Amino acid sequence: HEFDVAKFFNGVSESSKLDYNVSKQLTINLFADKFSVEEDSFVNFLHCLHEAKEIDGVLEVGAPIRAKKGYPKRMLVRDTVRDHIEDTLKRLDRGERVIHYGTPGYGKSMTGVLVVKEKMGKRLLVIQQGGTWYFVPKDFPRTCVVKSMDPNTMRSNVITQARVSGVEPCPIFHLIDPQSQRRVGVIVFGDIAAEELATVKL
């Protein structure tokens, strides 16, 4: 039988909204022609980040930053970092793409985390974490995060879900890529069309 793409992604959408899956903060894992529902440490981190409160310049996340073993569960939000983030958000809101680069310890990943926190629940969000793509819906955390290791499958899902959300004709997303194989790390923020999702690489 011919694979019914519309029916498949409709099933993904329905599963992502099931009360049980949402209450357990589960993740929809997409493959080429099937999907599973499972726990994911990075998605657990996203939930903790969404609920985290900043007190006296310290953001208490409650889970290792970026779900990395050995990473701290709290973040010190320095004034210089705050100014940097505000400048980044202003540029993103103008439709610009922003590249942060620097040696380890510069604060690229932490900046990315705080930008994600500002954007979650306000617009469709795609995060590339290593070799995995995460789609955070606009109504997160009332809808499950969807992930896939295949950018083409993720692209199809994002286009479908964005159209359901009323974004036409092509959805636009923020891309955060906090990992690079280069000696000098790079993090990229910006708007990309869904058609670019499979080709945006560092």
Side-chain angles (χ1 to χ4, degrees):
H1 297 284
E2 186 176 348
F3 180 62
D4 191 328
V5 176
K7 184 177 180 180
F8 173 70
F9 285 113
N10 183 59
V12 171
S13 179
E14 290 179 354
S15 294
S16 70
K17 296 176 183 177
L18 289 177
D19 290 341
Y20 179 84
N21 294 341
V22 172
S23 65
K24 295 294 183 180
Q25 299 180 354
L26 300 178
T27 306
I28 312 298
N29 189 9
L30 288 184
F31 302 94
D33 57 356
K34 62 181 180 178
F35 64 90
S36 61
V37 183
E38 59 192 48
E39 294 182 349
D40 184 281
S41 59
F42 183 73
V43 174
N44 177 65
F45 158 69
L46 291 178
H47 279 276
C48 291
L49 180 65
H50 183 268
E51 298 299 323
K53 305 297 183 183
E54 182 183 332
I55 301 175
D56 296 329
V58 177
L59 187 67
E60 297 283 353
V61 179
I65 305 301
R66 289 174 51 209
K68 294 292 185 180
K69 186 176 180 179
Y71 272 42
K73 297 181 180 181
R74 59 175 57 175
M75 295 176 59
L76 176 63
V77 186
R78 297 168 293 181
D79 289 340
T80 52
V81 172
R82 197 186 312 276
D83 292 342
H84 194 42
I85 293 168
E86 289 179 359
D87 180 62
T88 298
L89 291 170
K90 288 178 181 177
R91 293 178 181 276
L92 291 174
D93 289 341
R94 292 198 298 263
E96 299 177 18
R97 294 186 185 181
V98 181
I99 297 177
H100 293 173
Y101 66 93
T103 55
Y106 167 74
K108 303 177 299 298
S109 295
M110 296 304 179
T111 301
V113 166
L114 294 172
V115 170
V116 167
K117 180 172 177 58
E118 288 295 323
K119 291 298 181 182
M120 278 194 300
K122 297 178 181 177
R123 62 173 299 167
L124 300 171
L125 184 68
V126 172
I127 303 172
Q128 183 183 353
Q129 175 74 358
T132 305
W133 298 83
Y134 291 87
F135 170 65
V136 185
K138 190 174 181 180
D139 52 356
F140 176 85
R142 299 185 303 278
T143 302
C144 296
V145 172
V146 178
K147 74 174 185 178
S148 179
M149 296 186 71
D150 177 25
N152 290 315
T153 300
M154 176 56 74
R155 178 179 60 183
S156 297
N157 170 71
V158 174
I159 290 174
T160 302
Q161 304 307 330
R163 285 175 177 164
V164 170
S165 300
V167 181
E168 293 284 359
C170 294
I172 303 296
F173 311 94
H174 279 86
L175 167 71
I176 293 87
D177 186 351
Q179 296 187 351
S180 173
Q181 298 301 317
R182 299 185 179 188
R183 293 182 179 179
V184 178
V186 177
I187 177 167
V188 179
F189 309 89
D191 288 343
I192 62 171
E195 286 77 1
E196 297 180 79
L197 190 56
T199 59
V200 175
K201 296 180 181 180
L202 296 178

